[in-house]
Amino acid sequence: MTFRFWLRRPAATLGAALLLLQVIAIVFAGMLAPYSPTMADPLHSLEPPSWQHPLGTDVSGMDVLSRIIFATRINLLVSITAVAAAFLIGVPVGLLIGFYRTIASTLVMRLFDFIQSFPVFVLGMALVSVLGQEIWNVALVLAILFVPVFARLVRAEVLSLRERPFISAARCSGAGDISVMFRHILPNAMTPALVQLSISIGMAILLTAGLSFIGAGVRMPTPEWGLMVSSGAQQLILGVWWVSLFPGIAIVLAVLCFALLGDQLRIFLDPTKRAPGKAR
């Protein structure tokens, strides 16, 4: 049933295919990349796409294709690590502040309000500037930004579930708070958070690339899509389009992949939308 569900949907198939390509790039980057992603070759600076360099070279003579392949590791691993950490922290926090109506729960919500009152990109830029432009500092900043998202989603579900009749029945059978929270409420409150997980990875990819684009993220010569777009943007006026175009396409495809998978996961987890004939 699960395999047929995904196979019937072109959007799911496309998302899975794009994800597979990225996994292959991450695992086999050293075998797929024709050149070193960080070795400069000034004699071949800004060469257009050719047989020798299929996607051309940048201003330092580094091969664009090799850098895109290796950048997949940076962008995806940073984004997935950050969102996974936010998920693991945000879900339990959302469960607790939704189940217990205490002053501490109110204070946590006000903290989330404070974090989310800032524009995400501006707050991310400020935090990276304070912590330092290291790869895992970027992941830490993204995790901080996404914790309130998952916590709020789970809290909203918990608030709607905690007064349901089946919770009252569980209490009548002798279940304590821990049992009610983790055996009865949490499994029923996870669907929005699981769907948001995929969408947030796409958002994290955009934020990682955006921070690097403005110089507040990963630093040269580390291969990273946003940094590559920023480097090539300076030569666009000279007609050197390939340095920015191909990393930009990589960002689009990566974000599209997780957006498609998130949308299809939402349909899969909703029994009312899984009926035959409703393929998308």
Side-chain angles (χ1 to χ4, degrees):
M1 172 62 186
T2 303
F3 179 75
R4 285 185 297 171
F5 171 85
W6 291 97
L7 193 62
R8 287 199 308 264
R9 285 163 168 77
T13 303
L14 176 59
L18 291 174
L19 180 61
L20 179 61
L21 288 176
Q22 294 175 78
V23 171
I24 291 173
I26 291 173
V27 176
F28 301 105
M31 299 172 60
L32 296 174
Y35 300 94
S36 167
T38 57
M39 183 175 294
D41 185 3
L43 296 178
H44 295 88
S45 175
L46 297 178
E47 289 189 354
S50 62
W51 287 109
Q52 186 177 3
H53 298 282
L55 301 185
T57 62
D58 63 12
V59 67
S60 300
M62 292 184 284
D63 183 67
V64 173
L65 175 60
S66 300
R67 287 179 62 77
I68 288 177
I69 293 173
F70 273 91
T72 307
R73 286 182 175 178
I74 300 297
N75 286 81
L76 261 69
L77 291 180
V78 167
S79 301
I80 292 174
T81 300
V83 174
F87 180 86
L88 294 175
I89 296 172
V91 169
V93 170
L95 177 63
L96 290 173
I97 64 178
F99 189 82
Y100 295 108
R101 298 177 180 177
T102 63
I103 295 177
S105 300
T106 303
L107 292 176
V108 172
M109 288 302 299
R110 298 294 77 80
L111 175 62
F112 290 161
D113 290 338
F114 176 76
I115 293 175
Q116 294 186 306
S117 65
F118 291 92
V120 175
F121 193 77
V122 174
L123 180 59
M125 182 173 60
L127 291 175
V128 170
S129 300
V130 171
L131 296 174
Q133 292 178 252
E134 300 296 333
I135 293 175
W136 297 114
N137 284 344
V138 175
L140 175 61
V141 168
L142 293 178
I144 294 172
L145 295 177
F146 282 110
V147 164
V149 176
F150 291 105
R152 284 183 179 277
L153 284 173
V154 174
R155 175 180 178 272
E157 291 295 310
V158 172
L159 289 175
S160 67
L161 290 170
R162 68 193 304 273
E163 306 298 337
R164 297 283 181 88
F166 74 93
I167 299 300
S168 300
R171 289 193 178 280
C172 290
S173 67
D177 286 353
I178 300 298
S179 177
V180 169
M181 282 192 294
F182 289 96
R183 291 186 60 187
H184 300 283
I185 292 181
L186 185 59
N188 292 287
M190 286 295 290
T191 297
L194 289 173
V195 174
Q196 184 64 37
L197 190 65
S198 178
I199 297 172
S200 294
I201 292 174
M203 295 174 61
I205 292 172
L206 285 176
L207 283 172
T208 302
L211 290 172
S212 297
F213 180 85
I214 63 172
V218 179
R219 293 178 292 185
M220 287 291 285
T222 304
E224 196 279 329
W225 292 333
L227 189 61
M228 295 173 68
V229 173
S230 175
S231 175
Q234 302 172 17
Q235 284 84 38
L236 279 175
I237 194 173
L238 302 176
V240 181
W241 50 269
W242 56 88
V243 180
S244 290
L245 176 64
F246 295 118
I249 292 175
I251 295 172
V252 171
L253 293 178
V255 175
L256 176 64
C257 162
F258 289 103
L260 291 174
L261 292 177
D263 185 58
Q264 296 304 307
L265 182 61
R266 175 181 59 82
I267 297 171
F268 178 74
L269 295 174
D270 187 348
T272 64
K273 297 182 180 180
R274 273 193 281 160
K278 291 190 178 183
R280 296 186 180 182

